[in-house]
Structures are given as C-alpha cells and as structure tokens.
C-alpha cells in the first residue's frame, strides 16, 4: 500500500497520522518498508493539561460511571479520573435517560456520562481536580456538571482547540451556581 510513496514522505505521513490519533507524539523514523513493518516507537509522550495533579484528596475514591457503550470520549474521561487516583466501576448502558432522571440531572445540565461518588453526582467532562475539591468541601449540593461536551475538557481534547467552560454545582431545588471557571487552560 505504501510502495508508491517516496521514502522521504512516508515517515512524515505516518508521524502525522499517529500524532492525530494519539495526541502529541515524538517518534523516531525508519527509512524503508522493512523498518515500517517492524516499527516500534522508541518513545511516545502523551501530554494533557488535565494530567497534572494540583488537588490532593484522601477520601473515598470509588466512583461508579454510567456511560453509553458507543461513547469514546467517556472512556477517555474515565482514564483521566483513574490517573487522578479514582477507582472506577464502569457501567455501560443504552438507557442513560433513566440514569439522568434518577439523579435529578435536568436537561440544561446534561452531558454524555454520569458518575456517582460519595452520594454526589458528577455529570460530564469535569476535571478531576474540581471533583476532588468539591468532595473535600462537601457543599450542600447534589453534585457538579459540565453541560454539553466543550472542546478541551478532559476526554474532549482536540489539540489546541479549547472552549472556555464552567463547572456548575447544583442542588435539589434546581438552583445552579458556578463552582469553577476554566477560561484559559
């Protein structure tokens, strides 16, 4: 398949394709078909703004996550939470509407996945450090939400494309307040 490409272009095209799939990658280059067939990257660096741990948390780290079996961004968010020390029980379901109803998530707060920890609801692509701070403070709220799926949030990273977003806290009566704003990150 690659025989028609020049030896100069092939490593560049492969590097772009791999970087586009796995994020920022630093790869060594082979020079021929045999090297490509047997290629093993010597080092891959996956970097995310959200991988840095800025907030410590020593409480309960067992979290149940409900998500659609076909949602890839939810799986990436689960990995993000695990990097921050959360132990995830991953439940894939096609009935997310009943989960949202059960946990009193109104349509204006909805996102693609719902997590439960210590009786609190965590809706959507919330940075793990915000969850840890919320759990330490234990406010009189049901939980947190990042409505929709803003580009740049954990699990929704798209290179340099980043949308400012807010993490909202919400209570049983439907009141919502800004818990954390992420304008630049």
């Amino acid at each position: 398949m690659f025989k028609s490409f020049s030896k100069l272009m092939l490593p560049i095209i492969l590097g772009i394709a791999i970087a586009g799939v796995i994020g920022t990658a630093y790869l060594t280059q082979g020079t021929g078909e045999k090297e490509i067939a047997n290629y093993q990257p010597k080092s891959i660096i996956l970097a995310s703004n959200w991988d840095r741990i800025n907030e410590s948390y020593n409480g309960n780290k067992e979290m149940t996550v409900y998500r659609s079996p076909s949602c890839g961004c939810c799986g990436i968010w689960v990995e993000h939470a695990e990097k921050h020390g959360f132990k995830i029980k991953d439940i894939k379901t096609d009935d997310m509407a009943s989960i949202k109803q059960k946990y009193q998530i109104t349509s204006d707060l909805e996102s693609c996945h719902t997590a439960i920890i210590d009786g609190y609801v965590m809706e959507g692509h919330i940075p793990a450090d915000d969850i840890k701070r919320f759990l330490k403070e234990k406010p009189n709220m049901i939980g947190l939400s990042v409505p929709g799926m803003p580009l740049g949030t954990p699990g929704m990273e798209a290179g340099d494309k980043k949308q400012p977003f807010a993490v909202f806290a919400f209570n049983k009566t439907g009141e919502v307040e800004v818990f954390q704003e992420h304008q630049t990150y």
Side-chain angles (χ1 to χ4, degrees):
M1 169 169 141
F2 293 109
K3 289 182 181 179
S4 64
F5 289 103
S6 73
K7 287 184 179 180
L8 177 63
M9 291 303 294
L10 185 57
I12 294 169
I13 292 168
L14 283 174
I16 291 169
I18 291 170
V21 171
I22 63 173
T24 305
Y26 298 95
L27 306 172
T28 59
Q29 298 178 6
T31 56
E33 287 180 33
K34 185 176 180 182
E35 288 84 0
I36 292 166
N38 297 318
Y39 179 75
Q40 293 294 320
K42 291 197 168 90
S43 66
I44 297 176
I45 300 170
L46 299 175
S48 167
N49 265 352
W50 306 111
D51 287 348
R52 286 177 294 188
I53 298 174
N54 298 313
E55 191 76 42
S56 64
Y57 175 67
N58 295 320
N60 177 28
K61 295 184 180 177
E62 294 180 18
M63 181 186 295
T64 301
V65 177
Y66 298 93
R67 65 183 177 114
S68 167
S70 62
C71 187
C73 65
C74 297
I76 297 169
W77 183 85
V78 164
E79 292 171 7
H80 162 70
E82 289 173 332
K83 287 178 184 178
H84 282 260
F86 290 103
K87 311 241 181 304
I88 306 296
K89 180 179 179 183
D90 191 6
I91 299 176
K92 296 175 183 164
T93 178
D94 287 320
D95 189 14
M96 288 302 296
S98 67
I99 299 296
K100 310 246 184 248
Q101 184 178 15
K102 177 181 178 179
Y103 292 107
Q104 302 175 3
I105 301 165
T106 58
S107 61
D108 58 330
L109 294 173
E110 281 186 10
S111 185
C112 51
H113 59 270
T114 304
I116 308 301
I117 183 167
D118 264 358
Y120 291 108
V121 178
M122 301 294 147
E123 178 71 6
H125 293 271
I126 306 164
D129 276 341
D130 292 342
I131 294 171
K132 290 184 278 186
R133 183 169 67 88
F134 181 89
L135 293 170
K136 285 192 304 191
E137 293 176 5
K138 296 194 179 294
N140 189 21
M141 302 298 251
I142 292 175
L144 295 176
S145 172
V146 172
M149 299 165 66
L151 286 179
T153 58
M156 289 297 298
E157 294 173 285
D160 291 337
K161 296 177 183 171
K162 298 176 182 177
Q163 295 174 311
F165 69 97
V167 178
F168 296 98
F170 59 102
N171 67 18
K172 292 178 183 177
T173 63
E175 295 174 13
V176 176
E177 63 184 52
V178 173
F179 179 76
Q180 180 68 48
E181 289 185 286
H182 294 279
Q183 297 297 321
T184 58
Y185 51 95

